[in-house]
Amino acid sequence: MLNKRESEVMQAVYALCHSEGICLVSPAELLSMLPAHKKYTELQLEKILDALALDDYFQLLSSERKGEKMYVISLHPTGYAFKRNSLQQKRAVALRLGWASPRR
């Protein structure tokens, strides 16, 4: 199960890559898709991306284009299933809350 920051980064990655399964993205572009109030840094983003790659959500390659750092991200089956899994987790929490609420 992903923590809040990993989930936010994975949502951004999924939004960029789900149609073709692969994308070329800059850290600045990824940071712009994340909630502004969280104030992610490039170093934090890189650590989160590495952790998600280790969890087999996608393959992550770093490269440079015109002196700017770029990420090549290709989704794995776990990455494609991210949206479905997050929806199932939300449903499970709602069900637990429904069962736990006091009856009158």
Side-chain angles (χ1 to χ4, degrees), residues 23-78:
C23 61
L24 177 67
V25 62
S26 68
E29 186 177 354
L30 268 176
L31 288 170
S32 71
M33 295 180 72
L34 298 173
H37 66 277
K38 295 282 178 111
K39 305 218 188 245
Y40 287 90
T41 64
E42 282 193 34
L43 183 60
Q44 289 172 327
L45 177 66
E46 189 167 348
K47 286 181 180 180
I48 292 169
L49 288 172
D50 288 338
L52 290 169
L54 282 175
D55 288 341
D56 202 35
Y57 282 90
F58 49 76
Q59 180 181 8
L60 177 69
L61 299 173
S62 296
S63 67
E64 281 198 25
R65 184 176 72 176
K66 298 180 184 176
E68 182 183 10
K69 186 172 188 170
M70 300 295 286
Y71 296 119
V72 179
I73 301 172
S74 61
L75 289 178
H76 287 175
T78 311

Side-chain angles (χ1 to χ4, degrees), residues 81-99:
F82 167 75
K83 279 291 189 190
R84 183 173 165 269
N85 289 339
S86 65
L87 182 61
Q88 286 177 338
Q89 287 175 354
K90 287 178 186 177
R91 286 181 184 157
V93 168
L95 181 64
R96 287 185 196 132
L97 289 174
W99 279 103

